[in-house]
Amino acid sequence: MRGIDGWETGILQAEAEAEWVNADGRRYRLFREEDQIVKDLSADLNAKLARQLRDVTREVNSATLHLSVRARERRFVWLAPSTSEVSAQDIAASEPLAVRGRVAATIDPSSAAMGRPLDSGYWDLLLRAHLSGETNQRPVKSALPASITISHGRLHLIYPNDGGAATLVVDGAAEAVRRLIPARTAIIDGKVDIDFQGSHDGEGQVSTMVMTHSIPWGQREVPATLTVSGGRASLRFECPRETLVQARVGDRAPGHPPWLRFT
């Protein structure tokens, strides 16, 4: 499965690949006989049943793949505009055919709910595979590091969760602060400037909050601004250098500490 390709002008580009297998993880026993795809049953049944009764060519040719997004809390699902192709591939003369497919989809948070914007919050990306009356769903995996887009004044985040599955956060500025990886930090004239790693999409800025730990106030949230410009993302907030100790920035990125310390 290829997973997430990234943001383009506020629209998430995704591709996935799939292969149909049974509950044991093995390929279905399908073989090619002349121009037909047929089920291989027992030797006795194969001999007794006419080929057309074992013919599943139409079912395989009608198989489809779609990508969808599912609201994590309310659980409703929206299908994304998708194009897919599925085929039965010959592996070896004595081995079953491999039924494999590929799907490409676009997910536009501004219109993905049947022309309406997606609600704010967490959305899981799912691959829906349909073959011969049976539909299965699996999470879409992603190896793409966390990245954001600012489009139509809204910030959206895509990142792989702890299990590697793609998670979309609509209006995700607060989560982005904790998922993006700091690359450079500077404190100048009482303002903290943090540049993040990676390539990001869109142009603009949104307001958010950052948890800080300072002296003498201890932990408190302070207003901050997330900006995307020229493919780069940055964070800025005010806090005097002599009092700031650390901030919760990048703490949910894999392998990163719970606090970004300032020395």
Side-chain angles (χ1 to χ4, degrees):
M1 182 178 294
R2 291 182 56 181
I4 305 303
D5 290 337
W7 296 104
E8 291 184 13
T9 61
I11 300 174
L12 189 62
Q13 310 291 322
E15 290 191 22
E17 297 174 349
E19 179 175 348
W20 276 264
V21 294
N22 61 23
D24 297 327
R26 299 177 180 177
R27 295 189 182 106
Y28 292 108
R29 292 196 58 78
L30 304 179
F31 291 85
R32 205 178 299 279
E33 292 185 8
E34 297 182 0
D35 59 348
Q36 294 177 317
I37 300 171
V38 299
K39 290 182 179 179
D40 179 44
L41 306 173
S42 66
D44 185 50
L45 286 175
N46 287 344
K48 290 181 178 179
L49 294 177
R51 183 191 298 171
Q52 60 265 31
L53 297 179
R54 297 185 292 118
D55 181 14
V56 292
T57 307
R58 177 178 298 179
E59 287 86 343
V60 172
N61 290 340
S62 300
T64 58
L65 295 170
H66 285 92
L67 291 184
S68 63
V69 290
R70 181 178 65 194
R72 188 168 294 176
E73 289 190 5
R74 299 176 65 185
R75 309 296 286 181
F76 51 75
V77 176
W78 300 111
L79 289 178
S82 304
T83 57
S84 67
E85 55 182 20
V86 177
S87 62
Q89 301 175 12
D90 295 284
I91 304 301
S94 60
E95 292 187 21
L97 298 171
V99 181
R100 293 170 174 164
R102 172 183 292 182
V103 58
T106 56
I107 300 168
D108 184 350
S110 70
S111 61
M114 293 187 68
R116 301 188 304 275
L118 293 178
D119 291 339
S120 301
Y122 292 80
W123 295 79
D124 297 310
L125 274 66
L126 301 175
L127 172 65
R128 295 165 61 94
H130 181 82
L131 172 64
S132 191
E134 182 178 335
T135 299
N136 292 292
Q137 290 191 142
R138 295 289 185 273
V140 174
K141 298 292 186 179
S142 175
L144 184 74
S147 66
I148 60 175
T149 184
I150 295 181
S151 178
H152 306 293
R154 303 175 73 186
L155 184 148
H156 310 304
L157 166 71
I158 187 74
Y159 70 91
N161 65 20
D162 293 343
T167 300
L168 170 65
V169 190
V170 176
D171 296 317
E175 187 71 25
V177 168
R178 307 187 69 178
R179 292 283 177 180
L180 299 179
I181 301 174
R184 184 196 66 86
T185 301
I187 304 177
I188 303 172
D189 297 330
K191 292 183 173 61
V192 179
D193 281 294
I194 301 173
D195 291 335
F196 292 109
Q197 295 181 16
S199 178
H200 306 277
D201 177 66
E203 295 282 337
Q205 57 184 219
V206 298
S207 299
T208 187
M209 302 293 288
V210 177
M211 179 64 72
T212 64
H213 181 201
S214 56
I215 298 172
W217 299 293
Q219 292 189 31
R220 66 171 184 164
E221 283 193 316
V222 299
T225 302
L226 257 171
T227 300
V228 174
S229 180
R232 301 175 66 86
S234 61
L235 178 72
R236 170 176 279 199
F237 57 94
E238 293 190 13
C239 198
R241 181 184 182 91
E242 60 271 15
T243 64
L244 181 64
V245 178
Q246 53 194 4
R248 285 208 185 276
V249 178
D251 60 296
R252 291 179 176 169
H256 282 256
W259 292 92
L260 176 65
R261 300 186 63 86
F262 301 90
T263 58

